[in-house]
């Protein structure tokens, strides 16, 4: 805990603009329905009493982090070295590059999961209503709404 507090203090003293990655869906609404794509994503990600969890976003992000582990490790090492030596000029650029790569990869992985339909199968009633058994797919809007954004904090 003390190391984390010191690091946070040191980063603040260095006046470094931090960069963040936001990953999820755009704020689209389903036509003729009173529900947003974000609400559908959350319901499917965590499940309900009657809908099993289908964590495509968490799995996609985990796969992205795993695939980009070397990139993440190298970026963290470079950033730490720059902080310790007082060279903060390229930290934001390195963070932006690393988070952009993770975001692109997470978007691709998540869209692949949704497209493959490899989650828990739909219930018989859902299959009858949709006319097919492809979890996380009805119109393709969820798939098309997966996005990421890298920005300054």
């Amino acid at each position: 805990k003390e190391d984390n507090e010191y690091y946070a203090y040191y980063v603040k003293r260095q006046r470094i603009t931090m960069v963040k990655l936001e990953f999820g869906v755009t704020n689209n609404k389903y036509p003729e329905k009173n529900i947003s794509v974000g609400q559908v994503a959350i319901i499917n990600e965590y499940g309900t009493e009657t809908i099993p969890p289908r964590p495509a976003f968490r799995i996609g992000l985990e796969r992205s982090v795993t695939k980009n582990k070397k990139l993440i490790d190298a970026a963290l090492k470079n950033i730490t070295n720059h902080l310790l030596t007082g060279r903060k000029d390229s930290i934001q650029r390195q963070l932006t590059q690393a988070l952009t790569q993770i975001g692109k990869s997470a978007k691709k992985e998540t869209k692949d999961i949704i497209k493959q339909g490899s989650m828990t199968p739909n219930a018989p009633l859902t299959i009858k209503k949709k006319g097919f058994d492809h979890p996380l797919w009805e119109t393709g809007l969820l798939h098309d709404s997966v996005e990421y954004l890298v920005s300054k904090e």
Side-chain angles (χ1 to χ4, degrees):
K1 183 179 177 181
E2 288 175 6
D3 287 342
N4 288 341
E5 288 173 7
Y6 174 76
Y7 178 77
Y9 170 76
Y10 191 77
V11 169
K12 283 182 187 175
R13 279 207 69 191
Q14 292 291 318
R15 297 176 195 242
I16 297 167
T17 302
M18 297 307 286
V19 181
K20 67 179 176 180
L21 168 65
E22 296 177 81
F23 173 64
V25 295
T26 55
N27 197 20
N28 293 325
K29 286 222 175 233
Y30 280 93
E32 302 175 17
K33 293 186 180 181
N34 194 21
I35 192 165
S36 72
V37 177
Q39 290 167 315
V40 169
I42 290 170
I43 288 167
N44 278 289
E45 189 75 13
Y46 296 100
T48 66
E49 253 183 47
T50 57
I51 299 171
R54 295 181 175 105
F57 289 85
R58 286 178 284 171
I59 292 170
L61 186 58
E62 286 171 11
R63 286 181 184 173
S64 174
V65 169
T66 300
K67 284 183 176 182
N68 290 287
K69 183 154 178 29
K70 287 181 182 177
L71 171 77
I72 295 166
D73 290 345
L76 288 174
K77 183 178 179 183
N78 287 336
I79 290 165
T80 302
N81 287 338
H82 287 306
L83 282 172
L84 295 174
T85 59
R87 295 179 7 233
K88 58 184 179 178
D89 53 328
S90 66
I91 293 174
Q92 185 176 343
R93 181 178 47 80
Q94 288 181 24
L95 280 171
T96 300
Q97 288 173 344
L99 291 177
T100 298
Q101 181 59 39
I102 293 165
K104 282 181 185 177
S105 177
K107 177 180 175 178
K108 180 191 178 312
E109 292 291 333
T110 302
K111 289 179 91 160
D112 287 351
I113 291 166
I114 293 169
K115 196 170 191 173
Q116 291 165 4
S118 57
M119 294 277 144
T120 305
N122 284 316
L125 186 60
T126 303
I127 296 169
K128 185 176 179 181
K129 178 183 165 197
K130 287 170 51 173
F132 56 92
D133 183 16
H134 191 292
L136 302 178
W137 195 282
E138 187 168 345
T139 64
L141 188 55
L142 177 63
H143 173 273
D144 295 345
S145 298
V146 177
E147 275 302 333
Y148 74 94
L149 175 68
V150 176
S151 61
K152 294 179 185 178
E153 240 181 4

